[in-house]
Each structure stands twice: as structure tokens, then as C-alpha cells.
Amino acid sequence: MADDEGGQHRQSRLFTDDDGDFDVERAREESLPVEDGEVIDTDRLADHQRYVEGRGIYDERNRVNDLTGKEWKYATKSVIAEGYPPALQHDLRSEHGGQKPPRLCAELIGRFSKAGDTVLDPFAGVGGTLLGASLCEHEGTGLREAIGFERNRRWVEIYETALERENEERRERGDPPLAEQDMRHGDCADLIEAVPDDSVDLLLTDVPYWHMDELEQTRNERATRESKLGAFDAAAVTDDAETDRDGGAEAEADGEEEGETGTKAEWLADMAAKFERFTDAVAPDGHLVVFIGDMYREQSYEFLSADLARAIESTAPVTLAATLIWYDPTKDLHVYGYPFSFVPSMVHQNVLVFRPETDG
């Protein structure tokens, strides 16, 4: 339709009142797109922009993810305040004390990758990242192909069983099944050699704590509360004055192997060396996103997230781009130190976001 003398399209005229001001109600009646109280004049979008109903304006130049501008604004919040209800065979997956909610993983995958991208989790555990990548297909952001490395056969079996049971329940409800992802059994230092350079768009992982991936987990035996797992220099931990990486007072591990508890420095050096190799597999415009919880040990706060970030940056060709906080408002609180000393009851996890360094 031809423009009027003022150069305005018919669409623009429809949402102005007699005084020339925006008439939002009239725009809604005419089924024009309204976002945050403002009418979107689709005739005036740039060639690289398109309006997505209910989501806002998407910029085709977006190389990071498939989010619209409005969604991007929300995704840049530095705190994820979300308590994820038990789901996707949570009871089974909880045999692993450090498992992450698949829907949290799906949210992060949606922030740092595009539909069809490849996601790698070199410390896959019971497959939270893999399940999250599959969830993306059914939650509006598009399926990702995921690869997981896990050297504990038990965790691999739990992922496979959880996926099988979940899909049985989904079929009974009439829902489409979750895609099976590529879980590989073995040591990440060996398995990474089969992953071509620059072939991974997003690395998303929860790093193991002092060889935690080899330890059997349990939440039911008191012996787990007396484990030295994660204690620097094998120092003992106590129930009332030590908090673990997930904010509880118990380092939940059973079957600790002789010599497996190394020093903090040894752990950092091992992680840095592994991430140096992992980074080769990540595309130049990709991201590395790493869960890491801080700890309280021997009346001292151990800022593990900062320590790990420095160690990785000093070795791998990456730059720390952001630190996000996952705050779980449903986390149980415990009384630590009362009434003699303030001991934090940690209800958060740190999420380090790295970008590969490039010449550009």
C-alpha cells in the first residue's frame, strides 16, 4: 500500500489516535504486534530483523544463540534464581550427588548455542547436559547434538536408564520422546582426542571435585558425612563447620580410593591442563560454560570459582567473559556455627563463562 504524505505506512496510521499519539488498544484490536507496551512496526524492520510472534524481534546477525532481543535482555541477568522441581527421573539421577537439573542445563544451552549446534560435556556424570540438550527440542529452542564423556560406568548406565524410563512415561502421556545423545564411556583425556578441532559450539560441564567422577555417591549412610572428599591436603571435615560444593554440610561420597584426594593445587593444575585440550575442540565463536561451587573449609572460605577461573585462563587460550550465579531458593538451610561463628549456608553455584581467544 502506498505511503501517505507523511511517509507513514497504513500500519503506522492504525495505531495513532486523533492527536497523533500511540493507541495501543487500537493496535491490539487490529492484531498488530505489541511488545512491552510499544507497537512493533514490522514494515520498518531492517533486512536483518524479523518479528517472532510472542517473542519479539530476532536479529539474523545473532551468532551466539537463537534469542530475540527481549529474550537476550533477560538471559544476560547475572543471577538465575530458579528452583527446579524434581523431574526427568530425578530420584534415579540423584544417586550422583553432584547432578544438575536438566532444565537448568537446557536454559544455559539456549543462551550459548543455536539449534543444531553440538554441545560437549567432558564430565557428563548422569547426563544432565545431555538431557538438557534433548529437552531443547521440545521447549522451543531446537534440538542440539550432545556428546558426553564419563569414566564411571555406573553413571553412564544411570543416564541410559533414566532416558529409557523418561521416554516410556512420555509415550504414555502422548508426548514425543527425548532424543538419545552420544554418551561415551572412558577417560575424557583419551576421548577428547577423537573430537575434531573447532567442532564443538558449546562446552557445558560441572567439573569433578577431586576425582569425584570415580566415587560412588550416596545420601543415606553416615559414612558419607565423614568422607574426606574434596578436603585440601586430605584434611578432615566435620559435620557442623564444613560446607560442600552444593551448599550442604556433607561431602556425599562413598568408597574413596587410596590416594585419590589430592591437594587443591594438584586439582587446579589437572583441570587447567584438561581445559587446555578441551578448548581445541571448541569453535572460535563458541563458549565454555563451567559449574563450580565454592567451599568452606577449616573456618576459611575457599573461593574455588575464582581459583579455577585463574587456573584455566593461565593455561587454556580462553578469556573469562562472565560469571553467572545459579541461586536455588528451594535449597534447604542448615544451622552452621551458631552461636559462635558465622558459617555460610551456600544456596548458590557459580557458572563461569569463557570465550576462546581469537586473533580477531
Side-chain angles (χ1 to χ4, degrees):
M1 178 173 289
D3 295 349
D4 62 15
E5 294 181 357
Q8 298 293 315
H9 292 73
R10 173 179 180 275
Q11 193 177 59
S12 298
R13 296 199 307 273
L14 284 173
F15 56 76
T16 57
D17 57 21
D18 293 340
D19 297 325
D21 297 326
F22 284 125
D23 189 337
V24 174
E25 291 302 321
R26 186 175 180 184
R28 288 198 177 97
E29 291 174 1
E30 298 293 337
S31 299
L32 296 178
V34 178
E35 297 290 341
D36 296 329
E38 296 184 3
V39 176
I40 304 299
D41 187 349
T42 55
D43 288 340
R44 296 190 173 205
L45 295 181
D47 291 341
H48 57 265
Q49 295 177 319
R50 59 184 170 87
Y51 176 74
V52 182
E53 185 174 359
R55 295 178 54 198
I57 299 173
Y58 177 73
D59 193 317
E60 301 287 356
R61 298 172 299 177
N62 184 347
R63 297 182 301 172
V64 178
N65 52 45
D66 293 326
L67 302 181
T68 65
K70 182 174 70 172
E71 293 166 338
W72 181 293
K73 180 173 68 174
Y74 176 82
T76 57
K77 290 171 58 178
S78 59
V79 176
I80 304 171
E82 187 72 52
Y84 295 87
L88 288 98
Q89 311 305 312
H90 176 82
D91 291 345
L92 176 61
R93 290 184 296 102
S94 289
E95 186 173 325
H96 187 297
Q99 63 94 15
K100 291 295 179 289
R103 281 193 167 81
L104 170 60
C105 295
E107 181 173 336
L108 291 170
I109 290 169
R111 292 188 187 194
F112 295 104
S113 70
K114 299 174 75 69
D117 279 355
T118 298
V119 180
L120 171 67
D121 187 344
F123 306 109
V126 291
T129 296
L130 277 63
L131 291 168
S134 299
L135 277 175
C136 288
E137 179 182 12
H138 308 292
E139 299 193 352
T141 58
L143 176 68
R144 273 67 164 178
E145 301 295 329
I147 302 170
F149 301 156
E150 178 51 53
R151 64 179 181 177
N152 187 323
R153 170 57 74 179
R154 176 57 180 160
W155 304 149
V156 174
E157 292 172 350
I158 286 180
Y159 164 71
E160 295 170 346
T161 302
L163 180 65
E164 181 180 355
R165 292 181 182 177
E166 182 66 20
N167 280 339
E168 288 176 357
E169 294 181 8
R170 292 177 69 89
R171 291 187 183 95
E172 290 177 358
R173 298 195 303 265
D175 296 333
L178 298 178
E180 181 179 0
Q181 301 288 0
D182 185 4
M183 176 71 92
R184 304 177 185 178
H185 177 233
D187 192 296
C188 62
D190 300 324
L191 296 176
I192 191 64
E193 298 301 325
V195 180
D197 289 355
D198 302 338
S199 65
V200 171
D201 303 287
L202 169 63
L203 184 150
L204 174 60
T205 195
D206 183 12
V207 294
Y209 284 55
W210 293 274
H211 306 283
M212 187 174 185
D213 52 341
E214 285 192 341
L215 302 178
E216 293 298 326
Q217 303 278 324
T218 178
R219 295 178 182 270
N220 300 319
E221 299 181 22
R222 178 170 179 79
T224 66
R225 297 196 293 270
E226 300 171 351
S227 169
K228 298 183 180 64
L229 177 70
F232 306 140
D233 299 315
V237 300
T238 60
D239 284 350
D240 61 349
E242 312 293 349
T243 55
D244 75 349
R245 67 186 181 120
D246 287 326
E250 302 159 4
E252 296 154 341
D254 186 22
E256 182 177 1
E257 298 180 8
E258 185 71 23
E260 285 288 73
T261 302
T263 67
K264 177 182 177 182
E266 290 171 341
W267 173 73
L268 288 171
D270 179 56
M271 289 295 102
K274 284 182 167 63
F275 273 89
E276 181 179 23
R277 178 61 188 90
F278 297 157
T279 303
D280 291 339
V282 180
D285 58 352
H287 289 83
L288 298 85
V289 179
V290 183
F291 285 101
I292 172 69
D294 298 328
M295 288 185 177
Y296 192 85
R297 285 288 183 268
E298 298 180 348
Q299 301 183 43
S300 175
Y301 190 94
E302 295 290 346
F303 213 155
L304 294 188
S305 55
D307 293 337
L308 183 63
R310 291 192 202 98
I312 292 176
E313 270 194 315
S314 68
T315 305
V318 298
T319 299
L320 182 66
T323 300
L324 307 178
I325 301 294
W326 169 41
Y327 159 56
D328 184 354
T330 67
K331 190 77 174 180
D332 290 336
L333 295 178
H334 303 275
V335 179
Y336 298 129
Y338 183 83
F340 304 108
S341 177
F342 181 86
V343 177
S345 186
M346 287 181 279
V347 294
H348 74 280
Q349 286 271 301
N350 305 289
V351 185
L352 306 178
V353 181
F354 298 93
R355 283 194 300 257
E357 294 179 351
T358 63
D359 293 339

